[in-house]
Amino acid sequence: MWLIIPILGKKWKSNLRALSANALSSVFYPADQFLYEDGSRGRDVLTNFLGDAELKALMSDGYNAYVFIGDELKTHRYKDTDHQVCLAHVRAKFVKARMEGGDKRADVFLDNINRLFRFEREYDREMITDGERTRRRQGLPTMEAMINLWANLLLELKSEEEQKSCYMREALNYLHKFWKEVFTYIKDGRYPISNNLAERAVRPFTTQRKNSLHFGSDEGAEIAAVYHSIISTVKLQGRSTWDYLGKFFTGIFNGCRDFLSLTPQNIDLAVCQ
């Protein structure tokens, strides 16, 4: 997702991206990466960061600046990469249609979307394997919820525009446009249903930004991006932040410059502590 960071003394708003990566195999570890590149709003920030990486899947919301991802993933370079769109963002739009637009027809969409999230919470509690999660996601209960959503979506899209609030029209069009990407998650039990993980990682950053009255320069935003990338990754891996920082600086003070061994997943293996 993108996080807008006002830079004092400039007339435009800059952006920082939060990229949260789940471990899709035993070789890789979950990590949060905050990206800031001279306040750029362009897509090059993401493509430059990804480089030649082989991606299993990439999730975003449907913000216009991310539309290129779907097109980019159709190229030979990313032909095997699945583009996902966050279901939580779909839900938020129907919540807005219900609460601010007063449109009761949003209820049927919310009921079915919440049902899908309820399934995921059940899977988490049962601690099932990724293979079992894939099987259940493709089972009858999920299919019933999706069929209900699709049937009501087509029905509402055919109804008179005047009968719908602007928020309801926006929600319907969003779901229709990104239907395939929204439900890509059922293909693989390792795929998340939403990007709430990245959303939670961004929250401490936004709190600091407000408390510090924003950032006064590009350098300040870059430093904050590095700091939060480290702290968020440590937390994401279930480690103690203070314990990690203590070991990190002990290694630095002892002359360790093998920075790969000082990353959160390798810190306990560092030979130069």
Side-chain angles (χ1 to χ4, degrees):
M1 66 169 289
W2 285 25
L3 172 65
I4 294 179
I5 305 174
I7 302 297
L8 300 182
K10 295 185 178 181
K11 296 182 180 180
W12 61 86
K13 290 184 178 179
S14 300
N15 290 276
L16 179 141
R17 284 83 165 171
L19 186 62
S20 184
N22 282 324
L24 295 184
S25 76
S26 59
V27 179
F28 299 99
Y29 295 85
D32 281 329
Q33 178 71 48
F34 290 80
L35 311 175
Y36 184 85
E37 190 172 301
D38 297 328
S40 171
R41 304 188 68 154
R43 68 190 192 186
D44 291 342
V45 176
L46 180 58
T47 54
N48 290 343
F49 174 77
L50 293 176
D52 297 326
E54 294 183 5
L55 301 177
K56 177 66 176 176
L58 183 63
M59 174 179 281
S60 69
D61 59 30
Y63 182 58
N64 286 339
Y66 286 134
V67 171
F68 86 94
I69 293 177
D71 296 331
E72 187 78 8
L73 297 187
K74 295 174 185 176
T75 65
H76 180 75
R77 178 184 177 190
Y78 294 122
K79 61 182 178 65
D80 296 323
T81 302
D82 290 321
H83 178 207
Q84 294 183 256
V85 168
C86 173
L87 185 57
H89 280 80
V90 177
R91 180 169 61 182
K93 290 185 180 297
F94 281 106
V95 168
K96 190 172 184 179
R98 183 67 178 92
M99 302 302 292
E100 297 185 30
D103 203 319
K104 295 182 179 180
R105 289 173 297 183
D107 288 342
V108 66
F109 292 93
L110 291 172
D111 289 344
N112 283 285
I113 292 173
N114 288 334
R115 186 181 176 192
L116 294 172
F117 275 98
R118 195 158 55 245
F119 293 155
E120 295 300 311
R121 290 193 296 271
E122 292 174 0
Y123 305 156
D124 290 339
R125 284 195 297 270
E126 296 176 19
M127 294 185 291
I128 60 177
T129 65
D130 294 332
E132 177 63 16
R133 187 184 290 258
T134 301
R135 189 187 68 79
R136 293 200 193 180
R137 282 177 172 180
Q138 297 174 4
L140 184 59
T142 299
M143 293 300 107
E144 286 179 344
M146 290 178 62
I147 290 171
N148 286 337
L149 280 170
W150 182 251
N152 282 279
L153 177 61
L154 294 181
L155 182 65
E156 291 298 336
L157 288 174
K158 293 177 181 178
S159 65
E160 296 292 334
E161 290 294 306
E162 294 76 13
Q163 299 176 2
K164 301 188 286 283
S165 67
C166 62
Y167 301 119
M168 187 64 176
R169 289 196 296 271
E170 179 182 354
L172 293 170
N173 291 332
Y174 187 93
L175 178 57
H176 186 254
K177 181 177 181 179
F178 296 110
W179 178 269
K180 177 183 176 182
E181 291 82 0
V182 165
F183 292 105
T184 293
Y185 83 94
I186 71 172
K187 292 176 57 178
D188 194 315
R190 296 170 296 178
Y191 289 177
I193 191 174
S194 71
N195 67 354
N196 285 341
L197 200 62
E199 297 276 0
R200 287 194 294 270
V202 166
R203 206 164 291 138
F205 193 99
T206 58
T207 300
Q208 182 201 11
R209 181 195 60 185
K210 293 176 181 178
N211 291 342
S212 60
L213 299 179
H214 309 302
F215 301 103
S217 67
D218 288 332
E219 290 77 11
E222 290 171 358
I223 292 172
V226 172
Y227 170 80
H228 283 281
S229 294
I230 296 172
I231 300 302
S232 293
T233 296
V234 172
K235 291 181 178 179
L236 189 62
Q237 295 183 9
R239 299 169 180 267
S240 165
T241 302
W242 286 110
D243 181 59
Y244 170 74
L245 291 177
K247 292 180 179 179
F248 176 84
F249 285 112
T250 297
I252 293 296
F253 293 150
N254 287 340
C256 181
R257 293 300 181 267
D258 178 11
F259 297 112
L260 182 60
S261 70
L262 296 176
T263 55
Q265 64 269 21
N266 294 326
I267 191 71
D268 293 325
L269 304 176
V271 296
C272 49
Q273 290 186 12

